[in-house]
Amino acid sequence: GQSAAQGFVTSASPGFLVRARLHLTNPYSFIGRPAQVYVVAGGTSNVAILSPSINVERDAVASATLLGGVIPDWYDAAFSPPVRLEASRNYFLVLKLPTFPIDGCPAPCIRRDAGADACECPPVRWTLVDSVAPGADPYAQGFAFSCGEACPIFTQEAVGRDHAFQVYLSDMCIGPS
């Protein structure tokens, strides 16, 4: 399925990622089909996700489901257990969309013709925030990326566009880590 990613940089001290909040719409939430949120380490590179050697599922340091809703809003993905993130490092939140086709062609998907693979399903949309000032960037420390249906490699969005996100870090973790 399709994917989208947003780079971010941790603070000067390490912490535990408790949750990520993404502004999105999931047209499949009413049938209980969640998207998956992965956290991929980028080290010192803020464009590491562009590497053809990156495999999101294999290289993820954490993952969580995110059901969301059909109305654009902020939705949370909770990481259990919280994952330790190193200080001043680049990470990527990767939103991986539900895999299709699913049995039949349920709403909100549409059957375009009688062909077996003719079921077209709308994407989960992660809100992109554009800069209001020329040359400015809503989140200058990271870039937004997108990846099409087959998703062999990510493409960087234009500078000045970022996915709407928030990350919540704690300085301590209670429980296994």
Side-chain angles (χ1 to χ4, degrees):
Q2 301 173 10
S3 296
Q6 174 65 48
F8 69 98
V9 178
T10 53
S11 64
S13 57
F16 291 90
L17 178 63
V18 177
R19 68 183 163 121
R21 178 170 277 183
L22 283 57
H23 194 276
L24 57 79
T25 51
N26 179 359
Y28 312 100
S29 61
F30 76 95
I31 60 172
R33 194 157 181 97
Q36 195 73 20
V37 177
Y38 295 92
V39 180
V40 177
T44 57
S45 171
N46 62 359
V47 292
I49 200 78
L50 294 174
S51 171
S53 65
I54 291 286
N55 177 307
V56 171
E57 289 90 353
R58 180 194 67 216
D59 299 332
V61 296
S63 68
T65 58
L66 191 152
L67 184 59
V70 295
I71 296 173
D73 205 346
W74 290 99
Y75 298 101
D76 292 344
F79 297 97
S80 181
V83 62
R84 182 178 173 78
L85 300 183
E86 297 302 319
S88 305
R89 293 295 192 190
N90 292 281
Y91 290 90
F92 300 90
L93 290 173
V94 179
L95 177 67
K96 197 157 175 64
L97 310 180
T99 304
F100 292 100
I102 54 180
D103 293 338
C105 191
C109 302
I110 315 167
R111 188 164 303 282
R112 293 282 181 204
D113 59 45
D117 295 330
C119 187
E120 292 184 20
C121 300
V124 174
R125 297 207 185 276
W126 188 358
T127 306
L128 279 165
V129 179
D130 291 313
S131 172
V132 292
D137 192 337
Y139 182 71
Q141 293 179 301
F143 300 110
F145 303 88
S146 59
C147 198
E149 188 58 38
C151 199
I153 191 164
F154 282 91
T155 303
Q156 185 175 335
E157 294 283 343
V159 172
R161 297 190 88 190
D162 290 292
H163 290 291
F165 78 103
Q166 299 169 343
V167 291
Y168 294 82
L169 294 148
S170 172
D171 61 353
M172 54 190 227
C173 180
I174 299 172
S177 61

